Amino acid sequence: MLHRTLGTTGPQVSALGLGAMGMSALYGEADRAESIATIHAALDAGVTLIDTGDFYGMGHNELLINEALRTAPAGAREKALTSVKFGALRTVEGGFTGVDGSPNAVKNFAAYSLQRLGTDHIDVYRLARLDPNVPIEETVGAIAELVEAGHVRHIGLSEVNAETIRRAAAVAPIADLQIEYSLISRGIEESILPTVRELGIGVTAYGVLSRGLISGHFTPDRQLAANDFRGMSPRFQGENLRHNLDLVEALRKIAESKGASVAQTAIAWVLAQGEDIVPLVGARRRDRLTEALGALDVTLDADDLAAIERAVPAGAAAGDRYPTDQMAHLDSER
């Protein structure tokens, strides 16, 4: 397993991380036994970074990770690092009602996460979305107090813009920014990526396969479950979907020339954007995990990258990455 460091102050982690959200929420039903087996397989392959959120399944995901780590071999368990997002407010029915980044809430969320994860510390802790009612300085300051107390090792950010990043970094060292970044989601390249690089902050990139859209496995006639987020995602609708899958077919030709799958090529593209970027793969099954890990063996030279740029240029995707109401909560899009 290759390794990368999260910024200048963060931990060394595997070059690919495992995003566990889909094992508990937003992509239809998941198989608990297969989810745990997938986490075990990831650890066995040398993956050390496991990303979750306390609101994924309203605690379900953290409890799942707890079980997976408890039943993993001791050597693998000791190397595992947890990255946790917090702040989302939920209803009994599963809806979202906002974000709370106030200092007392930060410490409350952390206490519950530590209990569910069955650990005495969280390796990287971050607010999932900026709270418009609480200055980022107060939120980061509260996490910094958790770091001082030994409950958190490193501070992260999520989906915030360049100005917010600078304000946060003025309060305490920031290990990484978690944000969507893929061949068809390249908004960070204009100002956010230059800012984190200037400040020595790493990037953990989620959505590297755009929720399966550019995995090479998604088909236009696929029927999604009622509780699958993609059923509401603009990129998966009607003409948008057909246009985006045409981009995938263009990418497939390049992948085949490399002897790789579409998913491996898309992940390898993110890996090739800089040593300071760690892609998170959202594999829910062992076969998908194995495919994703194969991206580490795909080397893209300058000609390959140029060909990919021609096939899938920046801004080529049709549709926003979230529905309109959710886009409004992304500080990174302002």
Side-chain angles (χ1 to χ4, degrees):
M1 174 59 66
L2 301 174
H3 291 84
R4 293 182 169 183
T5 302
L6 296 183
T8 56
T9 65
Q12 185 181 75
V13 299
S14 50
L16 288 181
L18 180 65
M21 181 187 74
M23 298 177 179
S24 298
L26 296 180
Y27 293 120
E29 296 302 316
D31 183 316
R32 186 179 187 86
E34 180 62 22
S35 295
I36 291 174
T38 300
I39 295 173
H40 286 171
L43 295 171
D44 185 59
V47 173
T48 62
L49 182 63
I50 301 177
D51 182 76
T52 184
D54 63 10
F55 51 94
Y56 293 166
M58 292 181 279
H60 177 278
N61 205 238
E62 290 178 320
L63 292 169
L64 181 76
I65 291 170
N66 180 337
E67 181 178 350
L69 292 179
R70 279 191 294 105
T71 55
R77 181 173 65 248
E78 291 165 1
K79 294 177 182 178
L81 303 177
T82 53
S83 167
V84 179
K85 291 180 291 299
F86 71 90
L89 304 176
R90 307 293 303 271
T91 66
V92 174
E93 295 74 23
F96 290 86
T97 60
V99 177
D100 192 344
S102 61
N104 283 339
V106 171
K107 295 171 184 178
N108 177 76
F109 285 128
Y112 278 90
S113 284
L114 289 168
Q115 178 69 25
R116 285 188 291 260
L117 289 166
T119 183
D120 63 357
H121 72 274
I122 296 165
D123 292 288
V124 188
Y125 202 47
R126 72 187 84 244
L127 185 66
R129 296 289 186 269
L130 184 68
D131 183 342
N133 300 312
V134 178
I136 191 64
E137 291 86 351
E138 293 185 17
T139 303
V140 170
I143 304 176
E145 291 180 12
L146 291 172
V147 172
E148 186 176 353
H151 304 310
V152 169
R153 295 282 169 82
H154 303 280
I155 304 171
L157 299 171
S158 176
E159 287 288 355
V160 289
N161 66 29
E163 178 188 355
T164 303
I165 294 167
R166 290 187 185 281
R167 289 169 53 196
V171 175
I174 305 297
D176 72 317
L177 167 70
Q178 187 172 119
I179 196 163
E180 185 166 356
Y181 188 40
S182 73
L183 262 172
I184 63 170
S185 295
R186 295 172 60 176
I188 74 170
E189 293 177 347
E190 182 177 349
S191 63
I192 293 174
L193 191 54
T195 299
V196 294
R197 285 178 167 162
E198 174 193 336
L199 298 174
I201 297 170
V203 172
T204 42
Y206 75 89
V208 293
L209 296 179
S210 199
R211 299 161 184 83
L213 181 57
I214 59 172
S215 67
H217 301 298
F218 204 91
T219 58
D221 58 349
R222 179 169 174 177
Q223 297 298 307
L224 297 172
N227 59 344
D228 192 317
F229 161 82
R230 292 170 293 188
M232 300 178 291
S233 174
R235 289 183 175 174
F236 288 83
Q237 308 305 312
E239 287 301 320
N240 286 352
L241 177 60
R242 283 182 278 276
H243 170 86
N244 293 331
L245 290 180
D246 285 343
L247 297 176
V248 173
E249 292 311 305
L251 182 61
R252 192 185 303 276
K253 295 177 182 178
I254 299 169
E256 290 174 349
S257 73
K258 298 290 294 181
S261 71
V262 175
Q264 289 168 344
T265 304
I267 296 168
W269 181 88
V270 179
L271 283 164
Q273 301 313 300
E275 291 288 326
D276 53 351
I277 299 174
V278 175
L280 299 173
V281 295
R284 301 195 296 169
R285 302 183 341 224
R286 284 168 286 180
D287 59 338
R288 293 289 192 250
L289 173 68
T290 298
E291 180 183 22
L293 291 172
L296 295 168
D297 298 320
V298 178
T299 300
L300 300 176
D301 61 24
D303 289 340
D304 296 325
L305 293 170
I308 291 172
E309 183 70 26
R310 290 191 297 271
V312 189
D320 288 332
R321 56 193 181 104
Y322 285 101
T324 302
D325 60 332
Q326 294 182 36
M327 289 291 288
H329 295 294
L330 296 175
D331 181 64
S332 55
E333 294 289 336
R334 295 188 178 94

